Amino acid sequence: MSTYLKSLDISGSGLTAQKLRLDIISQNIANAEVTRTANGGPYRRKVPVLKSEGSTVRFKDVLEAAKEGRLVDRVHRRLEAASEGEIYHTQYPLGDDLKGVKVESIIEDQTEFVPVYDPNHPDANEDGYVMYPNVDITQEIIDAMNASRTYEANITAYNAVKQMLQQAMDMKL
């Protein structure tokens, strides 16, 4: 039962992280034309820094384990044990300490501002250039699509675990 709950927690953390990521992207798009903030300069694009919690196993290591058949062997042993009414315990290939993902911080993108020649603008410098935010709308849309698809994938995983949990409970009744 705890494996199911752990899986739900991991998917839930992914949902939370992607929701925040989408919120930051919308904030960037909304401020793409702001040339003067409370700090005095143009708006600076914000980027969430996501970090996995728990295991530090690399994806490359998991692929190597799969190539060597170690993951398949574990699955076969679990299926054999289940068919005999036993439970086969083993450490997960990614580690037992997986906890999902968290937003470690939100940083400001340090790329250069975009100079636009507009001598009549109130924020124009002595050469007539206005510094606009370092927000690229196309990149923000691509990031939003990625975050949205990742959010959907987490919902799919969450619902699959929920369905497996329900089926397991129905079998015990």
Side-chain angles (χ1 to χ4, degrees):
M1 186 73 99
S2 68
T3 303
Y4 290 115
L5 297 178
K6 185 187 237 185
S7 298
L8 292 173
D9 285 345
I10 291 170
S11 292
S13 73
L15 289 169
T16 302
Q18 295 308 319
K19 164 101 173 48
L20 179 79
R21 191 170 160 216
L22 285 167
D23 289 345
I24 298 290
I25 291 167
S26 349
Q27 181 181 354
N28 289 340
I29 291 171
N31 289 293
E33 300 288 322
V34 174
T35 58
R36 189 183 319 160
T37 63
N39 297 335
Y43 174 82
R44 218 171 247 294
R45 177 178 185 248
K46 292 180 179 36
V47 180
V49 177
L50 305 181
K51 181 180 180 192
S52 65
E53 293 187 288
S55 180
T56 57
V57 174
R58 298 176 306 165
F59 184 68
K60 176 184 170 189
D61 297 333
V62 176
L63 286 177
E64 287 175 8
K67 251 193 256 183
E68 294 168 7
R70 288 183 282 153
L71 301 181
V72 174
D73 289 344
R74 287 184 183 157
V75 171
H76 284 238
R77 285 190 293 249
R78 282 179 187 243
L79 289 173
E80 287 172 4
S83 68
E84 296 171 9
E86 300 173 10
I87 298 175
Y88 176 74
H89 294 283
T90 184
Q91 184 178 11
Y92 292 101
L94 295 176
D96 286 327
D97 60 343
L98 285 176
K99 295 179 182 115
V101 67
K102 72 174 184 172
V103 178
E104 187 174 58
S105 63
I106 298 171
I107 61 171
E108 289 186 343
D109 183 348
Q110 296 301 310
T111 58
E112 295 295 319
F113 293 123
V114 180
V116 174
Y117 184 73
D118 185 0
N120 296 324
H121 193 285
D123 293 326
N125 63 17
E126 59 277 354
D127 297 326
Y129 284 94
V130 179
M131 300 309 277
Y132 276 88
N134 57 350
V135 176
D136 179 358
I137 297 295
T138 304
Q139 184 62 51
E140 298 299 325
I141 291 170
I142 290 168
D143 289 349
M145 289 170 54
N146 179 282
S148 177
R149 291 209 171 103
T150 305
Y151 188 89
E152 290 170 10
N154 278 292
I155 287 175
T156 301
Y158 188 91
N159 287 334
V161 171
K162 194 168 75 171
Q163 183 180 9
M164 285 188 281
L165 181 58
Q166 183 63 46
Q167 289 174 348
M169 289 172 39
D170 290 345
M171 287 182 0
K172 289 186 178 186
L173 295 177

